[in-house]
Amino acid sequence: MRRLLLISSLLLAAPALADSPLRALIAEAETGPAAIFQNDGRYGPTGTEYSAQDLNQTATLYRTWRVAVEARLGARHGLILLYAPFDVSTRATLTRDLDFRGTLFPSGSVVDHRYLFDGYRASYLFRLLDGERFQWDVGASVQIRNALVGLSGADGTRHAQESDIGVVGAFKTRLRYTLPSRVWAGLEADALSTFGLVGNTTGGIYDLALTLGLPLDTRGEVNAYARLRWLGGGADVARRDIYNWANFGFALVGVQADLVSLFAHRPANP
């Protein structure tokens, strides 16, 4: 429903944008499976450290999706808004006692685990190089994270959770190279580490993507693409007795369209 509302809003606004000073307004949507390679956690002063394997998170793939809108303001400036939900629920039989935020889940019990990490990200990019074949942008991102980790006994007798809404910043860069055939390749990265220099928190975030794109029309207004993404990071927050570090891999397909160009070239009604 959220995706349909976003797409509908963009389509309704696009005719007016065709006459605006925007150089481009690129809407993008992607979907595909994700694999959890690492998801270590520990919650509470007496919490037990556990891994993704302990909660069956590595047993299967998970369907994921993202949507983004990029406004190109002239030749050099770009603003990006991104929504990236990630919500995984699994069931497992514990092979050892697990203390989660002071609640003890005994060995042999069946538990349901939920890992929610939704990201709302805004980015600014400045185009350093804008050649016919090669483009290079640099800038920064700020992300609002909506995180929740919960553990419940399948019999309904125990439940504990940790939730948090926070703000994370990162440096950003993006490179794109277009072949004479108009097939293009891209590299995009958002990353930051505190190196333990911010308070008593050690943390970091990295979102790396390799993309191969193919124009679907003669002007390059609509593109299909395949993308490999590596998303990871985490934090060790001593003052809140929270530790989480994760690494996820994604294999995605998507489509992007420049709404300004599409509606500028749309035939006028007779």
Side-chain angles (χ1 to χ4, degrees), residues 11-36:
L11 290 177
L12 290 173
L17 292 171
D19 298 324
S20 75
L22 285 176
R23 182 180 181 183
L25 183 69
I26 302 167
E28 180 176 290
E30 64 188 38
T31 187
I36 296 178

Side-chain angles (χ1 to χ4, degrees), residues 120-140:
Y120 303 83
R121 186 185 304 170
S123 304
Y124 167 74
L125 286 172
F126 179 79
R127 183 151 294 174
L128 288 179
L129 297 176
D130 192 14
E132 181 180 356
R133 300 293 180 199
F134 182 73
Q135 297 170 336
W136 181 24
D137 299 291
V138 297

Side-chain angles (χ1 to χ4, degrees), residues 12 104 117 155 223 225 244:
L12 290 173
L104 182 64
F117 196 95
D155 59 3
N223 292 264
Y225 62 84
N244 178 229

Side-chain angles (χ1 to χ4, degrees), residues 192-242:
L192 181 72
S193 175
T194 67
F195 299 104
L197 300 177
V198 180
N200 60 352
T201 300
T202 299
I205 183 174
Y206 37 89
D207 185 356
L208 313 173
L210 288 171
T211 305
L212 184 64
L214 176 66
L216 298 181
D217 66 328
T218 57
R219 288 186 292 266
E221 296 166 348
V222 181
N223 292 264
Y225 62 84
R227 176 170 289 162
L228 295 176
R229 182 182 301 280
W230 187 276
L231 174 65
D236 187 354
V237 188
R239 62 181 175 83
R240 293 190 57 192
D241 299 304
I242 294 175

Side-chain angles (χ1 to χ4, degrees), residues 38-41 115 202-206 232-236 243-247:
Q38 178 190 12
N39 195 6
D40 301 333
Y115 185 85
T202 299
I205 183 174
Y206 37 89
D236 187 354
Y243 170 78
N244 178 229
W245 200 272
N247 281 286

Side-chain angles (χ1 to χ4, degrees), residues 64-233:
T64 63
W65 59 275
R66 284 186 174 197
V67 290
V69 178
E70 177 178 359
R72 297 301 309 176
L73 307 174
R76 295 291 184 182
H77 305 283
L79 296 174
I80 304 171
L81 297 178
L82 167 74
Y83 174 52
F86 191 72
D87 193 354
V88 171
S89 295
T90 58
R91 173 168 288 188
T93 301
L94 297 179
T95 59
R96 57 192 173 93
D97 292 350
L98 197 160
D99 181 316
F100 189 104
R101 189 53 77 185
T103 299
L104 182 64
F105 296 84
S107 176
S109 61
V110 179
V111 297
D112 293 317
H113 181 262
R114 185 186 184 193
Y115 185 85
L116 169 73
F117 196 95
D118 289 350
Y120 303 83
R121 186 185 304 170
S123 304
Y124 167 74
L125 286 172
F126 179 79
R127 183 151 294 174
L128 288 179
L129 297 176
D130 192 14
E132 181 180 356
R133 300 293 180 199
F134 182 73
Q135 297 170 336
W136 181 24
D137 299 291
V138 297
S141 297
V142 59
Q143 176 166 304
I144 299 175
R145 70 171 185 276
N146 177 38
L148 182 147
V149 183
L151 197 63
S152 303
D155 59 3
T157 58
R158 296 174 177 84
H159 175 75
Q161 73 176 36
E162 178 73 41
S163 60
D164 178 61
I165 298 175
V167 179
V168 180
F171 297 106
K172 185 178 184 69
T173 189
R174 184 174 65 186
L175 300 96
R176 174 164 164 164
Y177 182 76
T178 304
L179 298 170
S181 62
R182 297 192 302 119
V183 173
W184 54 272
L187 169 65
E188 188 169 358
D190 293 79
L192 181 72
S193 175
T194 67
F195 299 104
L197 300 177
V198 180
N200 60 352
T201 300
T202 299
I205 183 174
Y206 37 89
D207 185 356
L208 313 173
L210 288 171
T211 305
L212 184 64
L214 176 66
L216 298 181
D217 66 328
T218 57
R219 288 186 292 266
E221 296 166 348
V222 181
N223 292 264
Y225 62 84
R227 176 170 289 162
L228 295 176
R229 182 182 301 280
W230 187 276
L231 174 65

